[in-house]
Amino acid sequence: MRSRRLASTIAALLASGLVLAGCSSPSSPSTDPGTTGQSSVAADPAAAIEIGSLYEPGNLSNVDAGGQGVVEAFNGNVYESLIKLNDDGSLSNLLAEDYQVSDDGLTYTFTLRDGVTFHSGKALTSADVKASFERVTAESSQAARKASYAVVDSVETPDEKTVVFTLSSRSISFPYLISYVWIVNPDLADAKTEADGTGPYAFEEWRRGSTLTIARNDAYWGEAPKNAEVTFHYFTDASALGNALLTDEIDLITSLQSPDSLTPFENNPDFQISEGTSTVKELLAFNDRVEPFNDAKVRRAIYSAVDREKLLDAIWAGRGTLIGSMVPPTDPWYEDLTSLNPYDPELSKTLLAEAGKADGFTFTLQTPNYDPHPQVAEFLKSELAKVGITVEIKIITADEWYSTVFKERDFEATLQEHVNDRDVVWYANPDFYWGYDNAEVQKLVGEAEQAETPEQQTELLTQANTIIATEAASNWLFLFPQIVVARSDVSGFPVNGLNSQFYVSGISKA
């Protein structure tokens, strides 16, 4: 089974490239589209919600490799940002009452809400916002999107309610990027072991290897949570997680990892199954710096040798989505590009011959030891053997993947899931672990970030994505389904798997 703590850390660290996003009109901060409807039975405001998860944090800090688990438990629950990224991908004002953008797009002026306090009782000021931003951009920070904030020239606080960000160049995604900056009390002694935010919940207790509990913040500035307490129960085995729901130990599972795990809950009136939208992509990533993967014909040949529909059915039993690029359907610049590299073994053989590999070749596939990667690797080995390519599977741990593949770039090809939305722009960074280097893509992505309108940005990133997909910079095998299973008396939980966040304040239990 998956080494969940390390693997979730990797998932967060994979976001270290440049990230772009479209602008969105603010909506009410108390409204989060993309949650389940409310039960007709009266909810109990004193209820304790028990949540099952496979993603325990590495620590409690999102700038110290806390990983996917700390995002799931704390983002929007314990810690808040100036701007909120809603479960459906839209943006709304949160700790910012409002913000203004200068005509040249270089100055963002945020006005803070009145009456906001940290859980410790300290009043929120602009100085706390500045300190929190500098925490993310510090040299020691391992924040997911640290590189994206290099566009900020200065942060000023002319008064306690005003924060002014001055940029070196236009950044249409800046509000989106700000949604990832948690506002943390700078007086906190150790953010890896304790927490002090402004959210609807205060951190209460973490029993490593077991549970993490957050309790309702009765002094919260916004809409009060619909429950009194939430406890995340952590599991390392998917079967144990499912059994915990069946035996009433927990109320819901944040993300089911196998279609086999659904069987006990299907057609069972005591439970409900929700399939939302995921941004998790299963990638066969090549080291595009090394032969033969520096040749697009070889990468395309491998893509066309794999029956991805059959693969998806084997892994997810008909759930999930086939994708032909890094861009999922929820991204504004999505196009269905699956036809660019169709399943066609004869085309694969032709491309191999054109690349001087008519007799095939052998490569090592470094495969993480957690699901679904080993099963995917065996499937790829079988498919590629049909066109003369020999795959030698090397099973590695999550920490080996991080050190050998991600940091040292010592690999030929690897499997990995990428969890983030709007991450196609990583292909504009030749220093990213897969080493794809295309000057035209870099130009288009750079122009997209400085676009004056979302429409211009979308057009430019659509062009860039088409180039990336045509060259099969990686092989995008499928998009994971996002499956939440809950007891029938629970409602208001998030249904989409957007960047691992899981807002809990709207969850109620009758």
Side-chain angles (χ1 to χ4, degrees):
M1 284 306 298
R2 179 174 192 162
S3 174
R4 292 288 170 182
R5 183 174 298 177
L6 246 305
S8 62
T9 299
I10 288 169
L13 287 170
L14 287 176
S16 60
L18 176 67
V19 177
L20 298 177
C23 295
S24 176
S25 299
S27 60
S28 167
S30 62
T31 301
D32 191 357
T35 56
T36 58
Q38 297 304 304
S39 169
S40 58
V41 181
D44 178 9
I49 306 298
E50 313 294 334
I51 296 177
S53 173
L54 292 165
Y55 305 109
E56 183 172 15
N59 59 64
L60 303 183
S61 170
N62 69 334
V63 301
D64 294 291
Q68 184 174 346
V70 75
V71 174
E72 181 179 75
F74 275 11
N75 188 65
N77 300 324
V78 172
Y79 288 119
E80 298 179 306
S81 305
L82 296 178
I83 302 293
K84 179 180 180 181
L85 178 64
N86 295 307
D87 189 50
D88 68 345
S90 63
L91 298 175
S92 58
N93 293 338
L94 193 56
L95 294 180
E97 180 74 39
D98 195 8
Y99 69 91
Q100 304 294 325
V101 186
S102 62
D103 291 341
D104 61 5
L106 298 180
T107 304
Y108 284 76
T109 303
F110 291 86
T111 303
L112 303 184
R113 293 185 183 277
D114 291 326
V116 179
T117 60
F118 289 100
H119 302 138
S120 59
K122 174 185 174 181
L124 172 69
T125 70
S126 57
D128 300 316
V129 175
K130 180 179 180 180
S132 295
F133 182 81
E134 291 172 344
R135 171 178 176 268
V136 171
T137 58
E139 184 176 351
S140 62
S141 168
Q142 299 181 56
R145 289 170 171 80
K146 177 180 175 180
S148 302
Y149 303 109
V151 71
V152 177
D153 258 355
S154 66
V155 184
E156 299 174 354
T157 55
D159 58 57
E160 290 193 344
K161 294 296 180 184
T162 307
V163 187
V164 181
F165 292 87
T166 302
L167 313 185
S168 58
S169 60
R170 183 185 291 271
S171 173
I172 195 171
S173 14
F174 191 65
Y176 174 88
L177 295 172
I178 282 294
S179 73
Y180 288 92
V181 178
W182 288 356
I183 307 305
V184 179
N185 184 351
D187 298 333
L188 191 63
D190 185 359
K192 291 189 285 187
T193 59
E194 46 189 335
D196 192 12
T198 62
Y201 296 86
F203 170 60
E204 189 167 280
E205 182 184 29
W206 181 20
R207 297 180 179 179
R208 287 180 181 266
S210 180
T211 61
L212 186 153
T213 300
I214 56 179
R216 181 168 57 206
N217 172 19
D218 290 328
Y220 183 55
W221 63 269
E223 183 177 338
K226 293 179 176 162
N227 54 72
E229 182 180 87
V230 175
T231 298
F232 289 84
H233 297 252
Y234 297 114
F235 298 82
T236 57
D237 182 83
S239 297
L241 176 60
N243 288 335
L245 183 57
L246 285 170
T247 57
D248 296 337
E249 181 183 344
I250 58 176
D251 297 309
L252 64 92
I253 296 172
T254 60
S255 179
L256 211 64
Q257 298 298 306
S258 165
D260 295 337
S261 303
L262 278 175
T263 303
F265 306 107
E266 292 176 323
N267 303 312
N268 187 331
D270 292 332
F271 301 97
Q272 55 185 309
I273 300 172
S274 173
E275 184 170 349
T277 301
S278 165
T279 57
V280 182
K281 287 85 62 177
E282 177 75 1
L283 263 67
L284 169 58
F286 309 109
N287 188 340
D288 294 350
R289 306 173 183 86
V290 303
E291 294 184 351
F293 301 116
N294 57 352
D295 188 338
K297 289 182 179 179
V298 173
R299 302 191 301 260
R300 291 172 56 207
I302 291 176
Y303 214 179
S304 287
V306 178
D307 187 342
R308 304 189 295 276
E309 187 171 344
K310 184 178 178 181
L311 170 63
L312 183 61
D313 189 61
I315 301 297
W316 280 106
R319 289 183 165 86
T321 306
L322 291 180
I323 52 174
S325 75
M326 189 70 162
V327 179
T330 49
D331 285 1
W333 29 90
Y334 170 76
E335 283 187 330
D336 183 356
L337 300 179
T338 51
S339 63
L340 285 180
N341 293 286
Y343 172 56
D344 186 340
E346 291 306 313
L347 172 61
S348 176
K349 293 176 183 178
T350 298
L351 289 167
L352 287 173
E354 291 176 359
K357 299 292 182 181
D359 296 329
F361 63 95
T362 299
F363 73 92
T364 299
L365 179 60
Q366 302 219 36
T367 303
N369 62 354
Y370 51 86
D371 295 335
H373 304 308
Q375 186 179 356
V376 172
E378 292 293 343
F379 186 93
L380 294 175
K381 180 176 181 176
S382 175
E383 292 287 275
L384 294 179
K386 299 173 186 176
V387 297
I389 299 174
T390 300
V391 179
E392 296 180 347
I393 299 172
K394 181 179 181 181
I395 301 296
I396 57 176
T397 63
D399 59 348
E400 287 173 329
W401 189 95
Y402 175 64
S403 61
T404 303
V405 176
F406 188 73
K407 291 189 70 176
E408 298 172 11
R409 278 64 163 155
D410 184 15
F411 74 105
E412 292 179 288
T414 189
L415 291 170
Q416 188 54 254
E417 77 273 29
H418 281 249
V419 305
N420 294 86
D421 66 336
R422 308 186 184 205
D423 53 4
V424 69
V425 293
W426 297 348
Y427 288 96
N429 179 6
D431 294 327
F432 202 59
Y433 80 90
W434 49 52
Y436 178 71
D437 191 353
N438 183 297
E440 181 63 18
V441 168
Q442 293 160 21
K443 175 176 176 290
L444 288 168
V445 170
E447 291 175 351
E449 178 64 352
Q450 297 190 44
E452 294 187 7
T453 67
E455 292 76 18
Q456 292 174 359
Q457 179 192 33
T458 296
E459 173 60 28
L460 290 163
L461 289 182
T462 299
Q463 293 178 39
N465 185 47
T466 300
I467 295 172
I468 296 163
T470 300
E471 294 193 342
S474 302
N475 284 186
W476 308 275
L477 300 175
F478 57 80
L479 192 69
F480 285 57
Q482 170 66 16
I483 302 172
V484 178
V485 183
R487 295 191 55 79
S488 58
D489 60 351
V490 175
S491 60
F493 51 84
V495 298
N496 296 321
L498 190 64
N499 296 345
S500 306
Q501 62 191 23
F502 200 80
Y503 298 129
V504 300
S505 65
I507 301 177
S508 60
K509 183 164 63 174

